[in-house]
Amino acid sequence: MRLFLDTEFNGFGGELISMALVPEEGTAWYEVCELPAVINPWVKEHVLPALRKPAIPLNVMRSLFHIYISQFESPDVYCDWHADAEHFCRLLEGNDYGSSLDFACSLHVLKTPKGVPISADPHNALADALGLKVWYLNGR
């Protein structure tokens, strides 16, 4: 199974704001976590208006992520930026080893042409992950 991943975060190297996973077939997952106290000005202007979902605490987001991702056995996860993969891996972690999700997967960071893939709602992680899926499955 292939999953297409996108995240939004608080500026370069910043905290996770939202994450989406879109499978080849089946139901997508999208959540927004509580926002940091200080928001990058670019993120405030471009990302926050595109969230389209209320924020939840990060620990709740992590629990929902663990439930969702656990339905897949060794998926191939595709994204188009290394920080997306980094945030994905961080959500696998719990507060300690025992609460972390021991999860086998393959992560693929794709090099996409400038302006591609096309998103129906730029800077919305769900729309961006869906755009990545469509671009990838239609032959890139």
Side-chain angles (χ1 to χ4, degrees):
M1 171 63 78
R2 288 182 279 208
L3 298 171
F4 298 88
L5 164 69
D6 192 70
T7 66
E8 298 298 334
F9 40 91
N10 193 23
F12 187 80
E15 304 95 329
L16 180 66
I17 292 176
S18 64
M19 179 183 285
L21 289 162
V22 176
E24 274 183 274
E25 298 176 6
T27 304
W29 179 86
Y30 172 62
E31 292 296 342
V32 175
C33 63
E34 288 178 325
L35 300 174
V38 177
I39 304 289
N40 173 289
W42 188 94
V43 170
K44 187 179 282 186
E45 181 180 344
H46 296 93
V47 174
L48 297 189
L51 293 176
R52 316 223 190 287
K53 187 169 188 171
I56 58 176
L58 181 59
N59 64 329
V60 174
M61 182 178 181
R62 179 177 284 112
S63 294
L64 294 172
F65 171 74
H66 285 195
I67 292 166
Y68 178 81
I69 199 70
S70 293
Q71 72 181 300
F72 302 102
E73 187 175 327
S74 300
D76 288 309
V77 180
Y78 293 85
C79 59
D80 62 359
W81 186 245
H82 66 277
D84 295 334
E86 180 182 354
H87 286 294
F88 175 90
C89 290
R90 281 197 186 140
L91 271 189
L92 293 171
E93 295 176 353
N95 293 327
D96 54 33
Y97 188 80
S99 62
S100 296
L101 185 59
D102 186 10
F103 183 73
C105 65
S106 296
L107 289 164
H108 306 270
V109 180
L110 303 171
K111 174 67 176 150
T112 57
K114 187 169 178 63
V116 175
I118 304 298
S119 174
D121 191 6
H123 311 301
N124 173 281
L126 181 57
D128 293 351
L130 181 57
L132 182 64
K133 171 188 168 180
V134 169
W135 171 78
Y136 185 85
L137 294 179
N138 287 332
R140 299 171 263 178

